[in-house]
Amino acid sequence: MNPGRLAVGQTVVVGAAAALFLRETDSGPWGLLAIFVGVHAVLLAVAAALLTVTYLLGTLTRHGSRLTEHPGRRCGWTLLVWAGGAALVGYGRTALGHLGFEPDRHPEVGQWLLGLGAALVVGVLTRSRQVRIASAAMIALFVVVTAALRALG
């Protein structure tokens, strides 16, 4: 097995699944369910479903990272992916807000940012050195550029 291909595959699959899954959480059946059971219950259900889907994707691509090879480590990997992805999105949304972009008017931007953030964190946690370096470089570039833009603006 080619670890580079597995790492890229794992990164793409998790990022795409996150962006597509989150795309439907603000409307449709989730919105209808929120009317009947409350927003907090729906948010909890969405979070549990997203963690479960990510865990299953880690199971399907378990050779892409050392952290996804065993069930216990896979739980930690799942939490790291979403904690890191959420941190990147929080930083990105704040940076966009300081630059004059209104993220609340365009919720799809946050959804795609979360998919990208999760994908980059998966990339940092992969087995392939090239994918780890590229993902870490992209995260660093994102943080440095947005910090510089905020400082100039």
Side-chain angles (χ1 to χ4, degrees), residues 47-99:
L50 189 58
L51 290 171
T52 302
V53 166
T54 305
Y55 181 88
L56 292 174
L57 290 172
T59 301
L60 293 173
T61 60
R62 68 181 168 268
H63 297 296
S65 171
R66 287 185 178 95
L67 295 175
T68 54
E69 289 181 343
H70 303 288
R73 288 183 182 172
R74 203 172 304 129
C75 287
W77 173 83
T78 301
L79 294 174
L80 281 171
V81 166
W82 289 111
L88 285 173
V89 170
Y91 181 79
R93 285 179 56 94
T94 301
L96 287 173
H98 284 286
L99 296 174

Side-chain angles (χ1 to χ4, degrees), residues 26 93-94 96-97 100-111:
D26 60 351
R93 285 179 56 94
T94 301
L96 287 173
F101 183 78
E102 299 175 18
D104 294 332
R105 293 186 63 196
H106 305 282
E108 66 277 358
V109 172
Q111 295 159 358

Side-chain angles (χ1 to χ4, degrees), residues 15-31 46 50 82 106-115:
L20 294 174
F21 182 84
L22 290 171
R23 190 162 185 246
E24 299 300 323
T25 57
D26 60 351
S27 63
W30 294 111
V46 168
L50 189 58
W82 289 111
H106 305 282
E108 66 277 358
V109 172
Q111 295 159 358
W112 289 106
L113 277 175
L114 187 53

